[in-house]
Amino acid sequence: MTEDTISQIATPHGAGGIGIIRVSGEDALGVARRVFRPAAGGTLGDIAPYTARYGHIVAADGTVIDECILLYMRAPHSYTGEDTAELQCHGGAVVLREVLLRTWEAGARPAEAGEFTKRAFLHGRLDLARAESVMELIAAKSTRAAHAARERLAGAFSHAVTDIRTQILSAVAHIEAGIDFPEDDIPAASAERLAAEIDAASAAVRRLLAGADTGRVLRDGVKTVIVGRPNVGKSSLLNALLGMERAIVTDVPGTTRDVIEEEISVAGIPLRLLDTAGLRAAEDAVEQIGVARTEQHLMDAELILAVFDASEPLTAEDHALLARLSAAAADTIILCSKEDRPSVLSAEDFAAVAAPVLRISAQEGTGLDALREEIAAHIVRQEGDLSDGALPNKEREIEALRRAETHLAAAAETLAADLGTDFVSIDLRAAYDALGEILGETVDTDLIDRIFSEFCIGK
């Protein structure tokens, strides 16, 4: 366990009404006593934990730096599991920096990135999966992502992994009891019982792996590409969905020459929205590059919003795009734009593509709610419950689950081949350890350091 005392600004950079300096470690209360002077005078002395005191932060010479409210939390009932003091000051960058420097003068050292949460992990307050969910909650791009992060922080995913490890450990215990204590006449685990336990654990691992794509969607968002020939209203659609003038809109075809990417939330679902260059045989070298990038994004899109000008008949470029869409791997929503003008297109014009057809006017804002509902319905159909916190969403978690699945399959094969339950036990223990990596129980310190170094300063 760590014994030194650390401090850092725990609130975002920039001006605000309140800024918080967190101090954690063996001497947290001592640091607070040296920098804090109660408003009533005298020194801080003893303070009841989980109470607030009003006073001032003072320099070594007694000069007042700022007004402050002090909160003290005693180990192990604090975020880090250590004695913790929080100094709530005014939220200006300069004053917070002065208060922080004062805590360092008083005996604390600068906290490294993620060190508060790392200490919570080292003191057993959080397992590794729950600790990582702290940053997921901070970085959540949508309400559903935030809900899933809260569920993970509460232990939904960790409990699911722990349950599987318990199943595996039960099978190992039955095997090893028969191996280690034959003189006690403990009956050897029957092959049928072992096979059932292994199958149950394998099925549970597969269920978690099945949710990996959903977890990635919550973390990274759905890659949604807006395509169409030039001047059909792609940039107007982007601006309308964003609620701001992000892309330049003119009557001149080919205005968008590069990919514009923005993140939005639709019905609580994060989307990576890409406005692309119009698909056509471009002669301009710069536009040619933009069209090539559009083609690339079409290949790895997860959802395509194909825009067609409803006020004009389909052109050769439109028909070429429809042919592409009919063969595309990604799902498509067809949008007949400029519905504020007389329309010449109907749903029958797009019968070759198995996709819903919606009518919109980005200028008037009509049809956008229906589009948002269709996007949300599409994602739920493809990904399932995006609010489920029992989902792997880190590559290391997914890789550990896959290794566990492989070891469980090997254990089942060994058992079926009647090669001896002691060999079955070896694979079961390997699966048990692989799942332990997710929780941080069987992971090396270098990986732990790397994980927490990706946290923000002050968390």
Side-chain angles (χ1 to χ4, degrees):
M1 295 297 180
T2 53
E3 294 184 354
D4 55 341
T5 299
I6 57 175
S7 67
Q8 193 52 260
I9 300 170
T11 42
H13 294 293
I18 296 174
I20 298 174
I21 307 291
R22 177 179 285 161
V23 185
S24 181
E26 192 174 74
D27 193 34
L29 184 56
V31 171
R33 286 179 176 137
R34 289 187 280 276
V35 305
F36 180 84
R37 186 172 64 199
T43 58
L44 178 62
D46 291 329
I47 178 175
Y50 318 109
T51 59
R53 296 286 293 274
Y54 167 68
H56 298 86
I57 301 296
V58 293
D61 62 2
T63 304
V64 172
I65 297 175
D66 191 24
E67 290 181 289
C68 176
I69 292 176
L70 168 66
L71 299 176
Y72 171 59
M73 290 149 278
R74 183 177 295 162
H77 304 297
S78 71
Y79 178 75
T80 61
E82 304 174 321
D83 282 0
T84 301
E86 290 191 353
L87 306 172
Q88 299 187 2
C89 309
H90 289 101
V94 173
V95 69
L96 277 177
R97 184 66 181 172
E98 290 180 356
V99 175
L100 181 62
L101 291 173
R102 181 70 185 101
T103 64
W104 295 346
E105 290 176 0
R109 69 161 174 82
E112 299 173 357
E115 191 168 4
F116 293 108
T117 305
K118 181 179 179 181
R119 290 189 174 203
F121 166 70
L122 293 175
H123 286 89
R125 286 270 294 111
L126 300 170
D127 61 52
L128 195 53
R130 291 177 64 195
E132 288 183 288
S133 69
V134 173
M135 279 307 298
E136 293 168 19
L137 184 57
I138 293 171
K141 301 173 183 177
S142 69
T143 54
R144 296 199 188 199
H147 177 80
R150 284 193 295 269
E151 291 290 304
R152 280 175 61 94
L153 183 56
F157 180 58
S158 299
H159 293 157
V161 173
T162 299
D163 288 345
I164 301 173
R165 296 186 85 214
T166 300
Q167 288 178 310
I168 295 172
L169 195 59
S170 175
V172 171
H174 287 132
I175 292 172
E176 297 191 350
I179 295 172
D180 296 339
F181 305 103
E183 68 278 4
D184 292 339
D185 198 27
I186 297 176
S190 69
E192 288 185 3
R193 179 177 178 179
L194 270 180
E197 290 176 325
I198 293 170
D199 286 346
S202 296
V205 170
R206 288 194 296 272
R207 282 195 297 273
L208 289 181
L209 281 171
D213 284 343
T214 301
R216 179 198 54 75
V217 164
L218 288 173
R219 185 187 71 240
D220 298 332
V222 178
K223 184 174 181 179
T224 305
V225 179
I226 305 174
V227 295
R229 62 180 170 85
N231 224 28
V232 294
K234 300 186 301 298
S235 296
S236 295
L237 174 61
L238 174 72
N239 291 342
L241 289 173
L242 292 175
M244 59 181 285
E245 295 297 316
R246 174 64 178 86
I248 297 173
V249 177
T250 72
D251 293 331
V252 179
T255 303
T256 301
R257 298 192 170 204
D258 200 356
V259 176
I260 299 174
E261 181 171 348
E262 288 289 340
E263 292 181 353
I264 65 170
S265 176
V266 173
I269 300 168
L271 261 66
R272 291 171 52 212
L273 200 58
L274 286 79
D275 178 24
T276 60
L279 287 171
R280 66 173 178 177
E283 297 180 359
D284 181 277
V286 176
E287 190 178 356
Q288 286 176 356
I289 295 173
V291 171
R293 291 180 178 177
T294 299
E295 299 276 1
Q296 180 60 46
H297 284 298
L298 266 177
M299 293 176 62
D300 56 12
E302 295 169 284
L303 177 63
I304 298 172
L305 303 182
V307 185
F308 299 86
D309 187 343
S311 67
E312 299 178 0
L314 294 178
T315 66
E317 292 163 339
D318 290 329
H319 284 293
L321 174 58
L322 286 172
R324 289 279 306 275
L325 296 175
S326 63
D331 285 354
T332 299
I333 300 174
I334 291 176
L335 302 175
C336 294
S337 68
K338 305 184 183 180
E339 274 297 294
D340 50 304
R341 303 178 184 179
S343 177
V344 299
L345 297 181
S346 66
E348 287 72 23
D349 293 305
F350 307 100
V353 181
V357 179
L358 303 180
R359 298 184 177 277
I360 64 168
S361 170
Q363 182 173 347
E364 300 295 330
T366 57
L368 296 182
D369 287 342
L371 172 58
R372 294 185 182 98
E373 291 173 4
E374 183 60 40
I375 290 173
H378 158 81
I379 296 172
V380 170
R381 286 195 301 268
Q382 293 296 314
E383 308 296 345
D385 183 8
L386 291 175
S387 299
D388 188 355
L391 299 173
N393 61 11
K394 299 284 190 304
E395 284 302 321
R396 72 169 194 89
E397 295 172 348
I398 296 168
E399 193 270 337
L401 285 168
R402 286 174 177 158
R403 279 190 286 114
E405 182 183 32
T406 299
H407 288 302
L408 288 169
E413 291 173 4
T414 301
L415 182 63
D418 197 22
L419 298 178
T421 53
D422 49 344
F423 292 108
V424 177
S425 178
I426 292 173
D427 275 313
L428 289 177
R429 283 200 169 275
Y432 182 83
D433 288 343
L435 295 174
E437 293 177 18
I438 295 174
L439 305 178
E441 295 185 12
T442 55
V443 68
D444 61 63
T445 56
D446 288 341
L447 177 59
I448 291 173
D449 289 343
R450 187 165 70 251
I451 288 172
F452 286 106
S453 70
E454 296 174 357
F455 278 47
C456 56
I457 296 291
K459 195 56 185 171

